[in-house]
Amino acid sequence: MEWPGLYNYWIAIFLMVTGLYLVMAPQNLVKKIVGLNVFQASVFVLYITMGKVTGGTAPIIAEGIEVYSNPLPHVLILTAIVVGVATTAVGLALVVRINESFGTIEEDEIRELEEAQEDAS
Amino acid sequence: MISTHLPALQIILPLLAAPLCVILRNGTLTYWFAVVVAWLAFAVSALLLQEVNAIGVIAYKLGGWAPPWGIEYRIDLLNAYVLLIVSAIGALTVSYAKPSVDQEIGGDRGYLFYTAFLLCLAGLLGVTITGDAFNIFVFLEISSLSSYALIAMGRDRRALIASYRYLVFGTIGATFFLIGVGLLYQMTGTLNIADLGERVAAVGPNRTITVAFGFMAVGLAVKAALFPVHAWLPNAYAYAPSVATIFLAATATKVSIYVLIRTYFTIFHHDFSFGVMALGDIFMVFAVLAMLAGSAIAIFQTDIKRMLAYSSVAQIGYMVLGVSMATVLGLTGGMLHLFNHALIKGALFMAMGCVFYRTGSVSIESMRGLAARMPWTMAAFVAGGMSLIGVPLTVGFVSKWYLLLAAMEQNLWWILVFLIIASLMAIIYVWRVVEAAYFMPSSAGAPTDIQEAPMAMLVPMWVMVLANFYFGIDTKLSVGVATRAAKFLLGDAS
Amino acid sequence: MSAPDLMLLALVIPLIGAVTIVLFGKIPNLREAATLVTAVSLFAVALNLLPVVADGGRPDLNLIEVLPGLELRFTLEPLGMLFALIASGLWIVNSIYSIGYMRAKKESNQTRFYVCFALAIFGAMGVALAGNMFTLFICYEVLTITTYPLVTHAGTPEAMRSGRTYLGLLLGSSIGLQLAAIIGTWYLTGTLDFRDGGVFAGHVQGPVIGLLLFLYVYGIGKAALMPIHRWLPAAMVAPTPVSALLHAVAVVKAGVFTVLKVIVYLFGSDFLRESGYGDWLAYIAGATVLTASLIAMTKDNLKARLAYSTVSQLSYIILGAALFTPLGAIGGAMHIAMHALGKITLFFCAGAIYVASGKTQISDMHGIGRVMPFTLFAFFIGSLSVIGLPPMGGSWSKYFIAMGALESGQIVFVAVLMISSLLNIAYLLPIVARGFFSPPSDEIGSGNVAATKIKEAPLLCVAPLCLTAFGCIVLFFYADPLYRLLAPIGGG
């Protein structure tokens, strides 16, 4: 196996690390959600990659084709995408509510407000 | 026959009931509906446990599809036991919920709460019952998404930010688990847990398996809030509506611990997990740190719900400690604590719910002199606190006793010392509340018209409290089931 | 009624009493009547059990098995019988005294006071009857927790602070050390039952014995062995009846009783003597005897002085047990009874003086005997008993402990006992002398308005203390039955 070998995996790893970085580094809550999405996308790529069979085609029964890719990871990832969308929706909804009640979506500012509230109570 | 479809019923009941709640829309109506559904789910899980006890493992093919393509529900002693815990706590919590939900969330929006609650219940039961690794992820996300919603319903605006942080942590945790499942699928071509168990052993410990092992360990540790990745938990529990806190504290992390046990004993054989990979050594260190750090931080909290949340971090340490020993006694202790801690924290958070209902606050200041005004509530807190400390004749003692026996069996004397230190710290933080409630006069600005909580809250709370004592005295059921489940997991037929 | 039923009754009666007291909480007369009826019936039950034990019976009551091998189990043997009799008997006297004291002082929260008292007695009965270390530990903690509200009864910041010391030291030591020792015992021997001759023989050897003994002795904080005695002086903020019954009798005696139980029935005196790893205990006890007596001399507050005197006297009992000889153990056990009567008398007197005159400092008590002759005479008798002079009961127990010391060949402890007796004289008798012989201070003697009010305390306060003082004398002449009851624990 010569370099870059199964380069899909390198992409998955790159996306994974990028996503995790984006979750942690920015103060902006929306950017964090974006990071979360990138991170999840990396997993989707990983799954799809492992379903690929060399020389295989899309798993739709057609005449004259013997080798198919494994359809199961595709199905799984469809589910995972749905879960991901739902998570994003809930996350963004929360950000909207946070913006309504704190007046900001920057985490450092929110933390200050939180601390102020803690001291007050 | 309905009895053959019990496993499906267990999930479908709450899952279908949740959208129906949205249609019903009326607060009172949805409450009663949710109560009926939750108790039915409890009845189903009780029947399932009985059946498992009688005939052994139940394998149910969902929709008739044979594994490994179809999803199989597979119920053995371990998850029958966890199902019973989750559904029992769910039923008691929802029975208790009405006054508190009406007040904290509002009667007109109450139906949203019951919807999320039933979804969460369905998710947690699903995680427990399913025999399919990917399905675990899906149900885990169902329960997590609905618990984010539950937490965000808290009156304090900090609930929103707590929920957001939980969402980020929870999603990362669940996705790590998903990566692990994917890698395992890659090596074995199956998602069925029972099949995985056989094939992972056959494949042997190559690098992919090892990486999957690591991803799953981190992901589950986050979901279970094991120290030091517990950061999402304290605020989430502190600011969530009282009823949501009760339910989540008593069940959510427990189910994650269940998945942890399932993963490392059934999928990866325990010889591999704890022998080759030495997971036990790592977890044991974190567990002990959790016990000490969680208890120590709890002592300094002024918000009692947050104090109990940190105490939960410590108690999760106890459970993981038992699991990390990977012996029959240790696993028994860990699983007993799973059950017992659900009862303990359920009772304590219920007491806090009553206090919040009447006083609008759970700070230590607002506890002052409360015993005279809310005698039953505070008595319940004392009883729950005793159980948390591990006073003999309460459930807390039973599980700690087994953990001690397990530690001594392996000559881990230092664990004995730390267990005792953590118990002493528990005394301190429970005592602070007792002292304020019983032996201090009410603070000057406190309202004077505080009454005892309504009967609708007191009765479920005291059922929970009495369960703490009942299972502390008559230990045959819980210890028996936990011991047999532990032997089953360790492949010890005797 | 069979003996086990009677034992169950002995445990249930205080609980029923507590409930009844709560029910009659609003009607003081009925409430106090309930206390007295409970106390009397409890004592009657204890007396009914006495012949059974005296005849060598060991009634056994097994309630439930919590976990395999861990049972809630009660077994009555001579030591427990003695403790049960003292605690229940003195509860009657103390109840009468409490009623006088609490009414005279117009204390608040009286219902809570009587309820907690009944619950504490329940704990003490449990300790007395416990058949294994597990049961004993539970009852021991019940006793700790139920006495906390009594200690902090006043509700002042000082009382709360003392309450924390009290609870912190007692709970901390019992869970941190005693529980560890219990778990260790279970691990090493597989049983927590009390057996004649002990359970350790054949299971343990070497320094572990010493370590376990250390954990037990210091884990039983109620025995107030130095340096974990500080809770006892702290507990003196409680109303005097509490100090009298609980901190001269029930709580502290539960502590030394547990030490005796552990030494006699868990380790076995012979086993400890032969192993040689328990010898240090006698020296610690001896040191506590002397140091506490010296500290007592420096205290001007009467109750504080009595508290340190108690610390010192408790170590007599531990010393007796730590000699690991039959006579020493018997002497120690006997001292439980003798010291109980003597010290409760002294506390009753301190309380009576406080009720009558409001005085707490010894230096203010000049000439107090002239206006309160009965009280101070009873104090005199109690002092003699604590010092150990004939014809008071206290002389016998000291005699047996000294014989035990001789038997074990450790003459140094005979010297300790003698010096301690001198110290006792030095810190107790001056109070009597000052009260009777020194000229009354202005307040008491002269005709000013405040002073003329001082006279004997209410009858309900004075009668009990005369009764217990009389008891001190009676025990001197009837020590033989006591000796015969206790003889089996020495026989092994």
Side-chain angles (χ1 to χ4, degrees), chain B residues 93-94 96-97 100-101 104 113 117 241-248:
Chain B
T93 312
V94 76
Y96 163 101
S100 180
V101 168
E104 287 180 41
F113 177 86
F117 178 86
S242 306
V243 181
T245 308
I246 298 166
F247 183 62
L248 294 178

Side-chain angles (χ1 to χ4, degrees), chain B residues 33-359:
Chain B
F33 182 64
V35 168
V36 171
V37 170
W39 281 103
L40 277 177
F42 172 66
V44 171
S45 61
L47 286 174
L48 279 174
L49 180 61
Q50 200 184 15
E51 212 172 312
V52 171
N53 259 330
I55 63 166
V57 178
I58 303 173
Y60 178 85
K61 294 172 188 61
L62 205 62
W65 294 84
W69 300 282
I71 292 168
E72 183 191 36
Y73 284 0
R74 196 179 176 86
I75 305 155
D76 55 26
L77 211 51
L78 172 64
N79 52 357
Y81 175 67
V82 180
L83 282 176
L84 189 76
I85 299 170
V86 173
S87 58
I89 300 286
L92 273 175
T93 312
V94 76
S95 312
Y96 163 101
K98 180 130 184 32
S100 180
V101 168
D102 283 353
Q103 189 202 43
E104 287 180 41
I105 293 160
D108 52 333
R109 295 204 304 148
Y111 72 96
L112 290 172
F113 177 86
Y114 297 112
T115 310
F117 178 86
L118 286 174
L119 272 179
C120 192
L121 180 63
L124 293 172
L125 291 173
V127 170
T128 314
I129 202 170
T130 188
D132 183 283
F134 187 80
N135 207 220
I136 286 186
F137 164 76
V138 176
F139 277 122
L140 210 55
E141 285 299 78
I142 292 181
S143 68
S144 302
L145 285 170
S146 42
S147 53
Y148 307 146
L150 283 174
I151 292 166
M153 286 179 196
R155 276 209 305 203
D156 195 306
R157 63 177 181 171
R158 283 171 288 182
L160 294 169
I161 197 82
S163 171
Y164 179 88
R165 282 180 193 143
Y166 182 20
L167 180 136
V168 172
F169 265 99
T171 307
I172 293 177
T175 310
F176 266 56
F177 181 75
L178 184 63
I179 296 171
V181 171
L183 293 174
L184 285 182
Y185 175 73
Q186 197 173 14
M187 292 314 295
T188 61
T190 181
L191 290 167
N192 186 284
I193 289 177
D195 291 343
L196 273 173
E198 290 168 14
R199 294 194 202 170
V200 167
V203 171
N206 64 28
R207 184 177 291 172
T208 313
I209 300 276
T210 321
V211 170
F213 186 98
F215 269 110
M216 288 167 106
V218 175
L220 290 172
V222 172
K223 291 300 283 185
L226 176 62
F227 184 89
V229 281
H230 65 284
W232 59 269
L233 185 141
N235 276 352
Y237 284 9
Y239 298 125
S242 306
V243 181
T245 308
I246 298 166
F247 183 62
L248 294 178
T251 58
T253 48
K254 313 290 177 300
V255 168
S256 303
I257 301 263
Y258 157 76
V259 180
L260 191 87
I261 295 175
R262 186 56 93 197
T263 306
Y264 291 111
F265 286 87
T266 309
I267 296 183
F268 304 100
H269 197 257
H270 62 90
D271 287 339
F272 176 67
S273 308
F274 296 93
V276 181
M277 299 295 290
L279 184 70
D281 297 351
I282 302 165
F283 271 11
M284 195 178 286
V285 171
F286 285 130
V288 169
L289 284 175
M291 280 156 45
L292 297 177
S295 306
I297 300 171
I299 293 174
F300 297 100
Q301 299 303 314
T302 50
D303 180 309
I304 303 303
K305 268 171 86 179
R306 188 158 16 177
M307 179 193 96
L308 292 175
Y310 274 109
S311 147
S312 282
V313 172
Q315 305 294 319
I316 288 160
Y318 282 92
M319 291 171 226
V320 175
L321 174 68
V323 173
S324 71
M325 291 188 210
T327 59
V328 171
L329 276 176
L331 206 50
T332 306
M335 283 193 284
L336 275 173
H337 207 54
L338 205 85
F339 176 67
N340 296 342
H341 181 247
L343 293 178
I344 295 169
K345 274 292 148 61
L348 286 172
F349 275 119
M350 277 183 171
M352 283 305 108
C354 290
V355 169
F356 191 83
Y357 181 71
R358 284 302 187 202
T359 68

